[in-house]
Amino acid sequence: MKIAVLSRNPRLYSTRRLVEAIVQKGHEALVIDHMKCDIIMDEKGPSIYYEGQKLNDLDAVIPRIGASVTFYGTAVVRQFEMMDVFSPVSSIAITRSRDKLRSLQILSRHGIGMPNTAFTNFNKKENNVLKHIGKAPVVIKLLEGTQGLGVVLAETEKAATSVIEAFESLKTRVILQEFIEEAGGADIRAFVVDGEVVGAMKRQGKEGEFRSNLHRGGEANVIKLSRAEKSTALKAAKSMGLAVAGVDMLQSKKGPLVLEVNSSPGLEGIEQATKVDIAAKIIEFIEKSKKKTKRSSKSNLHA
């Protein structure tokens, strides 16, 4: 097969590992910058041109779409889907997961545990939304924030109101979440591929930091998930329609609570912590899916 990794930087760890896994499995690999793809639509059907050349011989693409280019990146993935090129992560699932509010609404609808969360058109005089979260402290998150950026811990209700007012004055939307004190500044990342948790790590924030993101100095160690944690991770990924996902959870007195379901989870932290070849698992999923497609096509021909 000819498999392309959609990535803006071929030197990134995740991109390099995916290319290595593709080659090790005996396939042809290439890296395509999705922001340099031209999407063409005419009576001949959908097509994509990259650096002046028409891409018409790919079997699969692996999206590594950054949050800042979600709109264009998912348009490229969608075009490949229209061209019957397989993607282990669908364009609609990427779009769904990148919308923090929508993703939390979906998780809530499916009865998946999460910190109490609220979104409001805040009005200081009339709004009592904080009562739905619980007592302070409260976590305030920008809807567009990533990697722990745009996340504030307000220690008191008065501080929370001030922070919300500040964001509102900048026309910036935020969500409010219950602070899970017993998590101790740590969270769990469960990596899901094709309905299976293939690796899990516990990320601990540095001292005095309630955010556990590795980009912010956190440390990661391998962890064995409880049955409830594994079940929650799989249910969360399925609810978002993601065959490949990084599910972030907190350990709480109420059980596992999902913070986020990531459609482009990084490989570096999870592979180094677990020593599992996650990249190979993703390629194996593509191989399995392509075989199913071929069998289905043959069955339709003989029907």
Side-chain angles (χ1 to χ4, degrees), residues 160-176:
T161 300
S162 297
V163 172
I164 296 168
E165 287 181 326
F167 280 131
E168 287 287 329
S169 69
L170 297 173
K171 307 299 181 184
T172 303
R173 295 294 185 182
V174 297
I175 56 173
L176 286 69

Side-chain angles (χ1 to χ4, degrees), residues 249-301:
M249 300 177 286
L250 295 177
Q251 294 176 309
S252 80
K253 297 174 183 176
K254 298 184 288 185
L257 303 177
V258 176
L259 290 174
E260 185 178 5
V261 185
N262 196 316
S263 57
S264 289
L267 299 181
E268 186 170 9
I270 192 77
E271 286 195 338
Q272 291 181 354
T274 64
K275 309 305 179 187
V276 175
D277 190 345
I278 305 288
K281 300 284 187 183
I282 295 172
I283 307 308
E284 289 166 7
F285 169 56
I286 293 174
E287 292 173 333
K288 177 182 173 182
S289 300
K290 291 296 290 182
K291 285 179 182 178
K292 282 184 179 179
T293 301
K294 286 182 180 179
R295 285 199 297 268
S296 177
S297 298
K298 288 180 179 179
S299 297
N300 291 334
L301 286 174

Side-chain angles (χ1 to χ4, degrees), residues 211-256:
R211 296 167 292 183
S212 59
N213 305 73
L214 298 185
H215 292 86
R216 306 201 65 78
E219 296 182 353
N221 293 289
V222 65
I223 184 175
K224 182 176 175 59
L225 299 183
S226 68
R227 183 176 298 179
E229 289 163 350
K230 186 177 293 186
S231 175
T232 297
L234 294 177
K235 190 175 180 181
K238 184 177 180 180
S239 73
M240 301 298 292
L242 287 167
V244 177
V247 182
D248 296 340
M249 300 177 286
L250 295 177
Q251 294 176 309
S252 80
K253 297 174 183 176
K254 298 184 288 185

Side-chain angles (χ1 to χ4, degrees), residues 87-239:
S87 172
V89 184
S90 70
S91 58
I92 186 64
I94 297 172
T95 301
R96 190 183 294 130
S97 68
R98 288 288 166 77
D99 185 332
K100 284 187 180 180
L101 180 60
R102 183 183 180 189
S103 63
L104 290 169
Q105 289 173 316
I106 291 171
L107 294 172
S108 175
R109 181 186 179 190
H110 284 83
I112 296 169
M114 68 176 72
N116 293 336
T117 305
F119 177 68
T120 183
N121 189 27
F122 191 77
N123 183 306
K124 184 178 179 181
K125 293 181 179 179
E126 303 173 2
N127 207 301
N128 294 312
V129 69
L130 288 174
K131 71 180 182 181
H132 299 291
I133 305 301
K135 62 181 181 180
V138 61
V139 178
I140 302 170
K141 296 181 179 180
L142 288 177
L143 284 178
E144 296 82 14
T146 60
Q147 297 179 351
L149 297 174
V151 181
V152 177
L153 178 64
E155 298 284 355
T156 65
E157 185 172 324
K158 184 176 181 180
T161 300
S162 297
V163 172
I164 296 168
E165 287 181 326
F167 280 131
E168 287 287 329
S169 69
L170 297 173
K171 307 299 181 184
T172 303
R173 295 294 185 182
V174 297
I175 56 173
L176 286 69
Q177 278 192 329
E178 171 189 14
F179 176 60
I180 308 300
E181 185 177 4
E182 62 267 28
D187 73 1
I188 294 171
R189 160 66 61 88
F191 206 109
V192 176
V193 179
D194 191 24
E196 179 186 356
V197 176
V198 297
M201 62 180 175
K202 185 170 185 176
R203 303 179 296 191
Q204 179 68 56
K206 59 185 179 181
E207 188 175 352
E209 175 62 76
F210 76 98
R211 296 167 292 183
S212 59
N213 305 73
L214 298 185
H215 292 86
R216 306 201 65 78
E219 296 182 353
N221 293 289
V222 65
I223 184 175
K224 182 176 175 59
L225 299 183
S226 68
R227 183 176 298 179
E229 289 163 350
K230 186 177 293 186
S231 175
T232 297
L234 294 177
K235 190 175 180 181
K238 184 177 180 180
S239 73

